[in-house]
Every structure is written in C-alpha cells, then in structure tokens.
Amino acid sequence: MKERRRVTIRDVADAAGVSVATVSRVMSGSHTVNSDMAERVRWAMQELEYRPNGAAQGLASGMHRSVGVVLPDLSNPYFNDIIKATYVGASREQYRMLVTEWREPGEELGVSLDVLSRVDGLLLLSARMDIDGLRDLAARKVPTVLVNRVELGVDLPMVAVDNFSAMLELCQHLASLGHRRVVYLAGSPSAWQNRERWRAVQQARILGLDPVMVAADGTIEAGFEATDEALSHDPTALIAFNDLAALGAIARLRELGLRTPADISVTGFDDVSLARFADPPLTTIVSPKAALGELAWAMFEASLRGERIEQPPLLRAAFVHRASTGPARTSRSRV
Amino acid sequence: MKERRRVTIRDVADAAGVSVATVSRVMSGSHTVNSDMAERVRWAMQELEYRPNGAAQGLASGMHRSVGVVLPDLSNPYFNDIIKATYVGASREQYRMLVTEWREPGEELGVSLDVLSRVDGLLLLSARMDIDGLRDLAARKVPTVLVNRVELGVDLPMVAVDNFSAMLELCQHLASLGHRRVVYLAGSPSAWQNRERWRAVQQARILGLDPVMVAADGTIEAGFEATDEALSHDPTALIAFNDLAALGAIARLRELGLRTPADISVTGFDDVSLARFADPPLTTIVSPKAALGELAWAMFEASLRGERIEQPPLLRAAFVHRASTGPARTSRSRV
DNA sequence: CACTAGCGAGAAAACGCTTCCTGGACCCTG
DNA sequence: CAGGGTCCAGGAAGCGTTTTCTCGCTAGTG
C-alpha cells in the first residue's frame, strides 16, 4: 500500500556525502560549490530520481515558480490563444501555470487572493473586478499584470489591445458600405473591452452611424438570444462584441430566414481561430493574441525581477474584411 | 517597499487567544473544538483577513488541494471544453488546477512528474506517452486518471469516449451515401484516439469503404497541408481525425476550387463548439465533452479518497449529420 | 467517594526545503 | 612569519502549517 518513501534532499546529501545545504546550492546553480562535489551531487540526484518538493521550496524560499492565471471563462477559445503564448514564455523559465476561472462576478478578487500563496504573481485576463479590487492587489506589491484592461490610476503593468481604434476602423468599413442604423451587441458591461468598443461605436456617429446598444455577452448563446431584440431596431448591421456573439447572432438570423450579409451584415471581434471558417467567414478584428500573451509574460517576468518596467503602448489590432459584411440593404422591408 | 508582513496562523491564534493548533482545527472543521472558541477564531480570521499559506499546508499535510492537468495542446478548443467541465467539479471541492502542456512527445512523463510535488494527482488528457510511462505513474500510487486513452494492463482509472463505435457509425453514413474510396487524415500515431478511429475506418471495409491513411495531425494546419496528398488517392470523402483537421482540409479544398460536399465530402470528429458554424457545417461526432470532464473529476475525486472505483464503460458519442457530407460524386473527373 | 474514561486544548515535533551564520583552510600581504 | 581576507561547506534556524502527544478536566461508574 505505502509506496516507497519519497526521496528527499537529505537522501541525496547522504548519497553524495555532502550536506543538504550543498545539494540545495547545486540545485540553485550557485557558483560557490566545488565542481566535483557538484558532480557527485548531480549523480546522486540522477541515481535516486530525486525531485525537489515544490511545496517545501515554496515555503522556504517564498518563490513558487508558478504564475496564477485568472480568467472569466475557460471555454472561450480567445483566452486559450493568449494563454498558449504566455505558456511558452512561462515554461521557458520553468514556470508552471495555475489557472483559475471565476464564474460569479465578485468572485474574482477572492479567487485571485486565494491563489496568491501558491504563486509568485498573477496574470489577470480581462479582469472585470472593480477598481478597488485592483488597487488592493496593487498594494500587495505582488507581481500582477493586467491583460486587456487598462485602468488609469492603478499602479499595475497592463497590456492591452487598442480596442477603440480597431473598432473605429471597423465602423468606418461599415459606414463606407452605407450602413447607418446599427446595433451593438454588447459584452459584459464591466469589461473594459466592452466599454472601449462601445465608445468607438458611439464615436462613429461622426461617420454617419446611428448605433443602438443591446445587452448581450461574449458567448454564442448570448449573441443568439440578443438578436431578436436587436432586430426590433431594424438595423442593417450588427456589431457584435466578439466573434462568439457574432456567430450566435448569425445562427439566429439564419433561423429567421435572414441572410448574412445580403439582408444584414454582422461583424465580430478577436478573430478566434475558427472565425475565418465560419459561414459566412467573419469580418472581424484580428487581435494579436500571441503578441499579447508574450508581452504579458515579458511584463510579468520583469516585475518578478523587480524591474520597474514602463508601460508599453496599446497593441494594434488589424481589421479584416471577410464575407459577413456587405452593402447596407436599402429597403426597410422588415419589422 | 516591504509590504505589511503576511498574517499567519500565529497572528490569528494570538488575536483569538488560543493556540495555533486550535486555529488549525477550526479551519479543518474538526468537531473537537469548543464552539465559542471557534467563533472567536473565525472572527479573528475575518478581522485579520487571514489566508492560509498553501505551500505550508501542502508541506505539512501532504495535500495540496490542486490537481495537475497535463495535455498536448493548450490552444485546442476541444481540451477547453473538457477542462471547463472538470473545473466545475474541482472548484466545488475547492481544488485548484495546475495546467501543463507538453510540446515535444517525450516531455510528457517529465512534466507530469515535475508537477507531482505540487498537486494531489493528475489528469492526463489524451496522453500519448508510452505504456511504461503510464505504468511508472501507476506505480507511484498517486491519484491519476487517464482521459481519452485506454490501455489494458495499466492499473489506472480511465474515462474515454467510444471512438470506435462512433467512427464506425460515421463510416456507415458515408457508405450509405455511396462513398467507397475515402482517405483518413490521421491524427498523431501515438494517440489512442487516432488508433481507435483508424481501426474503425479499416473495419468499415465491411461496409464497402476502401480507406487509405494519410498522415496529418489534429490541427487546422495539418489538415490543410495533408489535403493535397489525400487528393492524390482520388477519394470521394475525407475522414479527418478531428474537426480542426477537417476545417483545414475544407479550406484547402476551397483553394483548389473543390466544393464540399458537392465535389468531396469531409467529416470531423469531436464537435468543437464552432463546428456547426463552419462553412459548410461539419458532419461530425459529438463527443460528450462535458460528461467526459465531469466523469474525469468524479473518478479523480474517488481515487483521492482511496476508493477503489470500478472502471466506467466508454461514453457514447453521437453522430450528427450536417452539411459537409453528401452523396459520393460518381465521375472520376479529377487527378 | 475514589477511580477511570473520555474529551478538549496546548506544546512541540515534523514536513522538506533555503539561507544565514559560523568556522576551517587556504592564500595573500606587510 | 603573523595577521587578515576569501572562499567554501556544514550546522542550524527558520518558512507556516498539520498532527501527534500529553495533560488537566469533567463526568461517569462501582
């Protein structure tokens, strides 16, 4: 039943005929250790298949070699792409990743704090917690980087995409196709990205757009369900918060016998990997997800080292015209 | 610079006027503690905003309240859906999730072992390591469950989908549409799921299919790239290892001016969330991803408790006919 | 009423590391 | 040649918990 006792640093030390302190030094790559002693130690580690106990290391040194990733929705492929990029950086530095999802808004700070005693810092993806929560975190002086959220007056490194400009560009495209009456299928009201995107859509009045906001969320289901209300405003185009919502909307439109983009145009945001395979392929914004993830890691690493890094500029996202948008229908034939 | 010292169990004990042992007992919900004492302790914890140190708990108790999830590819949305379901179980039990991706085959055992000192057990998703690796893990008597891999002769709980039957059903569908010459766009040869699926495809000779295997992988790019070689066998249908590969193949076909399914049918597997929005919507197998994730957690939890759980049967996956398959083209018009 | 269970709480010993401190050996300098 | 540095390795003190052990009470029994 009881497996062979775990081999500890003690065992290695004994086998190599040195002290545990020396073994520890060898592991940390300290240079103040005689080279053939180090060799013996390494040999013993091999021989005994020694694996340092992470919890003990963490307790003793205060460093856990892992980063906590906190996000709103594990099943959203958008986050995957970011995490993926972050992960390559992390694993390069032998860092592990503790992933935590919060479901209820309000849980977010709690789960973040919760995980703090097991990680060296936090990556907050699309954080929606209120500014006091962010300040709380910032005050703890724990390396924390905000991804896809910028909040002036919070002393935390942030990396984000220029949602505003990108969305404006998208609106420009719509305007040039003759669209006027458009509905914005909103994301979560507490999401910074949502606020930015909506701000841009409103700004686009200047381009001739006449936008209305309809509450939804960044999921397929929410996009699907919000579509009926959106149609009540008789729009020629739907500007969805993200690709998922756009896909949901298109599905509902199809159910209703409306063609995209002949009857109504739909746009997405993010360019999740499957967006270009959709029917129709989504006109959307290509978020630099990999760059975002890499930069997030770089910032994290820097603040781990205590370097005072300057805030990088917002990342640019490219507009891509695919087949889900077309010229605005002119006749007001529908309810 | 130095923030206020972390509050420890010691501080709580002092504030409540009890011993640390008592505080610990209160936390663990031990019944052998006087109720107003417990109340004082709880009050003190609140007051001081005490958060137990995870590393210390892990070291002292040997329990880490986290589960290690090991998978081949973080960016594959298929895994997300599984993880998502697993996560709800885990978080219900206050378990955290340490996610690890291995890139090079051969890394897999290493990263698994690596993470073992920080978690109470492992969830191996689509494990591709060799059987000796699995045996090694099994011998350690650490709770470990294999997801999407079944390996007789390895003493580990496993949860998986009945790939064989599902694929056979899919082949039946193809056969009934008059397909004969088909190409199987393979997944990784070391993946159990790939072996099962291919086994089924071969079995489908009995239904009149004449399958050829072409090496690919379960990614969009691999599906895309393998398509040209697949076409050299002049098939009327492509059976892709999974949805991603199918999408890649369809994209390449379109580039070549071939329509799906008019010129050639394509099938997927898994039914990732976006598969039904694809152009054309994918005929595929609906893997019960949520059920898989939940069951995986349930098995994990059971083996955590040391319960000797019996192996559950394979989960059934449903075939779904969408628009990417149609009657086999009869003329052999193409190269 | 004396004696023994039984129970609840504190003291203290782990848990497996890191790191500070100490001391011996060696080398250099005056 | 004596004294003072330097360098390297070991001893030991934590790190913040859990858990075993112990001990003083209370209550129950004959």
Side-chain angles (χ1 to χ4, degrees), chain B residues 8 13 18 21 25 34 55 59 84 96-97 153 167 173 193 210 213 226 251 255 262 274 282 289 307 313:
Chain B
T8 78
V18 302
R25 288 191 195 102
N34 180 294
L59 179 58
K84 173 94 173 188
R96 287 125 208 134
M97 220 163 75
M167 183 57 101
H173 161 77
Q193 306 205 78
D210 179 15
M213 182 202 278
E255 268 189 9
L274 269 32
L282 243 38
K289 297 175 283 291
E307 294 170 18

Side-chain angles (χ1 to χ4, degrees), chain A residues 215-226:
Chain A
D217 199 353
T219 64
I220 294 176
E221 295 72 29
F224 186 95
E225 282 159 19

Side-chain angles (χ1 to χ4, degrees), chain A residues 28-49:
Chain A
S28 68
S30 167
H31 264 246
T32 74
V33 47
N34 180 295
S35 66
D36 42 310
M37 218 165 211
E39 205 39 60
R40 283 217 312 283
V41 168
R42 260 186 284 272
W43 173 86
M45 297 201 296
Q46 280 276 324
E47 198 66 11
L48 301 177
E49 295 187 347

Side-chain angles (χ1 to χ4, degrees), chain B residues 277-294:
Chain B
F277 298 108
D279 176 21
L282 243 38
T283 292
T284 191
I285 298 294
V286 184
S287 291
K289 297 175 283 291
L292 202 61
E294 286 165 24

Side-chain angles (χ1 to χ4, degrees), chain B residues 113-194:
Chain B
L113 261 24
D114 194 75
V115 97
L116 227 44
S117 65
R118 321 172 158 271
V119 299
D120 297 337
L122 259 23
L123 250 41
L124 266 31
L125 304 194
S126 299
R128 303 224 254 273
M129 73 176 83
D130 59 34
I131 198 163
D132 291 333
L134 295 176
R135 291 228 174 89
D136 181 343
L137 249 20
R140 289 170 196 257
K141 300 285 178 213
V142 171
T144 299
V145 2
L146 247 39
V147 180
N148 280 327
R149 164 109 181 231
V150 351
E151 205 65 77
L152 275 50
V154 171
D155 183 25
L156 244 29
M158 339 186 224
V159 332
V161 164
D162 185 349
N163 283 264
F164 182 82
S165 302
M167 183 57 101
L168 210 49
E169 192 175 351
L170 188 150
C171 289
Q172 168 85 65
H173 161 77
L174 251 21
S176 75
L177 287 171
H179 292 276
R180 246 189 83 70
R181 190 117 195 119
V182 301
V183 168
Y184 174 65
L185 293 177
S188 162
S190 50
W192 172 80
Q193 306 205 78
N194 177 63

Side-chain angles (χ1 to χ4, degrees), chain A residues 53-278:
Chain A
N53 179 312
Q57 289 182 308
L59 179 57
S61 70
M63 286 269 108
H64 300 88
R65 289 213 154 261
S66 32
V67 53
V69 175
V70 180
L71 44 74
D73 181 9
L74 266 172
S75 66
N76 188 329
Y78 172 69
F79 292 117
N80 278 52
D81 291 341
I82 296 179
I83 290 185
K84 174 95 174 186
T86 304
Y87 191 84
V88 327
S91 65
R92 194 192 316 119
E93 303 294 324
Q94 316 260 53
Y95 263 70
R96 285 125 210 136
M97 219 163 74
L98 202 52
V99 178
T100 321
E101 176 193 67
W102 46 273
R103 219 154 295 109
E104 310 304 322
E107 273 185 17
E108 196 180 3
L109 183 58
V111 304
S112 302
L113 260 26
D114 194 74
V115 96
L116 228 44
S117 65
R118 322 171 158 271
V119 298
D120 297 336
L122 259 23
L123 250 41
L124 266 31
L125 304 195
S126 297
R128 303 225 253 274
M129 72 176 85
D130 59 34
I131 197 164
D132 291 333
L134 295 177
R135 290 226 173 89
D136 181 343
L137 249 19
R140 288 168 199 258
K141 301 283 179 214
V142 172
T144 299
V145 2
L146 248 38
V147 180
N148 279 328
R149 164 108 180 229
V150 352
E151 206 65 77
L152 277 49
V154 171
D155 183 25
L156 244 28
M158 338 187 224
V159 332
V161 163
D162 186 350
N163 283 265
F164 183 82
S165 303
M167 184 57 102
L168 210 50
E169 192 175 349
L170 188 150
C171 288
Q172 168 85 64
H173 161 76
L174 253 19
S176 74
L177 286 171
H179 293 276
R180 247 189 84 71
R181 189 116 195 119
V182 300
V183 168
Y184 174 65
L185 292 177
S188 161
S190 50
W192 173 80
Q193 307 206 78
N194 178 63
R195 295 197 301 269
E196 288 293 291
R197 291 173 197 180
W198 173 231
R199 194 161 68 83
V201 172
Q202 285 175 293
Q203 184 90 341
R205 284 181 200 283
I206 214 169
L207 303 169
L209 253 42
D210 179 13
V212 183
M213 181 203 280
V214 164
D217 199 353
T219 64
I220 294 176
E221 295 72 29
F224 186 95
E225 282 159 19
T227 299
D228 288 28
E229 185 186 342
L231 288 179
S232 74
H233 297 99
D234 192 32
T236 61
L238 262 30
I239 302 178
F241 168 70
N242 66 7
D243 292 344
L244 266 31
L247 256 15
I250 291 174
R252 177 59 180 155
L253 292 172
R254 182 168 295 142
E255 269 189 7
L256 296 170
L258 294 170
R259 291 155 308 156
T260 307
D263 296 315
I264 188 164
S265 290
V266 178
T267 65
F269 206 113
D270 292 341
D271 193 41
V272 297
S273 70
L274 269 32
R276 70 178 206 275
F277 298 108

